[in-house]
Amino acid sequence: MMKKLVIGDKVAQVPVIQGGMGVGVSRSGLAGAVAAEGGVGIISTAQIGYDEEGFDQDQKTCNRIAIVKHLKQAKEKARGGLVGVNVMVALKDYADHVKTAVKAGADVVISGAGLPVELPRLVEGSGTKIAPIVSTEKAAHVILRMWERKHNRTADFIVIEGPKAGGHLGFSEEELKQENEMDYDSEIRKIIETVKGYERKFRQKIPVIIAGGIFSREDAAHALRLGADGIQVASKFVATEECDADIAYKKAYVQAVESDIAIIKSPVGMPGRALKNKFIKQAAENSTKIGKCYGCLAKCNPAQIPYCITDALIRAVKGDVEHGLVFCGADIGRIKQISTVHDVIQGLMV
């Protein structure tokens, strides 16, 4: 049986974290609904203010306004449930996003797409709980050791993201193409053993959350058998009535089959999993054009990247799924209909 997810002094009635999906896919609508069902709702801060007035001229201010607004709206819907944010380390305004979210009352901050070395400092003095996203035992060890040496603290929880996850991935393109042959369960066990070492050292429980390829009740049960304290699910929540993306985006998920998936190169500097469409074809042919640079990434040279990720993701979330970037998980072909957050969570209960 699934137990409550306890993260320090914060408790989720259901051990399900909804993965953060940007741009605009998981904002207050989805996160608030997940939290209201007892899970942990997560808002992606990546260019979250894309539809705020003046975004083209001042993304930093608009993103800050949107982080505060969507956390407030999600908490109003959450009925006391937990709401947090996912902030990519690769963002140019990473520190500002974290600080803004903490000040706005985020229960948790989950951080990946790079090493969140300074995350403990950014939440210092607050009640916000923090978790790095890791994909290997090596990454887990490096981050936890850095946090111990530099900040004299450890993670409040850990998210292990496997090779079947959507969006940006902590694996090489070659590894992702062979993910079906990968013995990732062994890697998960190694990460959990590393985490246990830090639990003993800091005398505190560090819950482990498994993400990537969690689709069914059986997948959830398998994660728990491996030693997880909870699961993180993303793709399945896209095809829900409460998801913040355009209906065309949701229908693209429902209509997709496994052969529609591509492993792409992202300007973030990591491979990603997305749906094949006209945009992906043009990007592969280097025929995409970069007009305005939004300056969203810490390390981005418009002359060297294949496309503008902000522009591509905004087009998609607004409904132009042929000319935008539609990230997805490996099991998208198993999604057959648009459901509700309640039904998705109930379908995962062990």
Side-chain angles (χ1 to χ4, degrees):
M1 291 290 293
M2 281 186 162
K3 299 179 181 179
K4 295 177 182 180
L5 177 59
V6 180
I7 305 172
D9 60 352
K10 299 184 184 295
V11 180
Q13 299 302 311
V14 177
V16 176
I17 296 178
Q18 159 250 312
M21 297 171 283
V23 167
V25 178
S26 63
R27 296 202 294 183
S28 54
L30 179 56
V34 171
E37 290 291 333
V40 183
I42 299 295
I43 294 167
S44 169
T45 71
Q47 300 294 58
I48 186 174
Y50 75 92
D51 56 354
E52 295 289 331
E53 185 177 351
F55 178 77
D56 283 347
Q57 291 73 42
D58 187 357
Q59 293 92 50
K60 184 168 186 172
T61 298
C62 288
N63 285 332
R64 191 183 291 147
I65 289 170
I67 289 170
V68 174
K69 180 175 78 174
H70 283 284
L71 273 168
K72 182 176 184 291
Q73 291 177 351
K75 282 183 168 289
E76 288 171 352
K77 298 174 183 177
R79 299 201 294 262
L82 302 184
V83 177
V85 293
N86 178 294
V87 188
M88 295 198 307
V89 179
L91 294 176
K92 183 175 72 175
D93 294 325
Y94 171 74
D96 188 63
H97 283 210
V98 173
K99 289 179 180 178
T100 300
V102 169
K103 191 173 181 181
D107 291 303
V108 302
V109 174
I110 297 173
S111 203
L115 297 177
V117 179
E118 294 301 324
L119 183 55
R121 178 180 61 81
L122 298 175
V123 304
E124 194 171 2
S126 76
T128 302
K129 305 305 180 185
I130 57 174
I133 297 174
V134 301
S135 294
T136 64
E137 187 277 333
K138 180 180 179 181
H141 180 67
V142 167
I143 293 169
L144 294 177
R145 183 176 59 185
M146 280 184 174
W147 285 9
E148 178 187 12
R149 291 180 176 178
K150 198 166 186 178
H151 307 287
N152 193 32
R153 68 158 294 175
T154 194
D156 296 303
F157 62 112
I158 295 276
V159 177
I160 302 175
E161 195 167 84
K164 290 188 175 184
H168 296 109
L169 303 162
F171 301 88
S172 69
E173 191 171 342
E174 292 71 27
E175 287 173 327
L176 293 173
K177 288 178 179 177
Q178 300 173 9
E179 51 98 354
N180 287 326
E181 286 76 48
M182 192 184 301
D183 178 18
Y184 195 63
D185 284 2
S186 295
E187 192 68 26
I188 289 173
R189 293 188 183 99
K190 291 178 185 176
I191 296 171
I192 290 175
E193 282 305 307
T194 294
V195 171
K196 285 180 178 178
Y198 283 88
E199 284 185 330
R200 291 189 292 269
K201 189 175 292 187
F202 284 87
R203 297 181 180 179
Q204 70 177 69
K205 172 65 177 173
I206 306 173
V208 173
I209 312 300
I210 293 181
I214 308 292
F215 188 89
S216 66
R217 182 176 285 110
E218 290 73 27
D219 296 329
H222 180 69
L224 297 180
R225 285 196 299 271
L226 287 172
D229 299 282
I231 55 175
Q232 178 174 289
V233 178
S235 292
K236 205 169 181 183
F237 282 117
V238 172
T240 61
E241 295 172 4
E242 297 92 339
C243 177
D244 298 272
D246 187 87
I247 186 63
Y249 196 104
K250 301 176 189 183
K251 287 181 177 178
Y253 265 55
V254 173
Q255 295 164 1
V257 295
E258 187 177 350
S259 59
D260 291 327
I261 297 172
I263 302 298
I264 63 159
K265 294 180 180 179
S266 167
V268 168
M270 305 171 74
R273 179 176 281 111
L275 288 182
K276 294 175 185 175
N277 56 12
K278 290 179 181 178
F279 170 78
I280 294 296
K281 182 180 179 182
Q282 290 173 345
E285 296 171 349
N286 294 316
S287 61
T288 53
K289 294 181 180 179
I290 298 176
K292 175 181 174 60
C293 176
Y294 290 87
C296 60
L297 302 177
K299 298 178 181 178
C300 180
N301 184 342
Q304 297 177 349
I305 60 173
Y307 53 87
C308 172
I309 193 165
T310 286
D311 193 39
L313 289 170
I314 289 175
R315 281 200 301 268
V317 79
K318 285 184 173 181
D320 187 355
V321 294
E322 273 301 308
H323 301 96
L325 178 57
V326 183
F327 279 133
C328 66
D331 288 329
I332 190 173
R334 298 168 71 181
I335 298 174
K336 303 301 181 185
Q337 63 185 11
I338 294 176
S339 182
T340 65
V341 164
H342 174 81
D343 288 346
V344 169
I345 290 179
Q346 289 304 307
L348 294 166
M349 290 298 95
V350 177

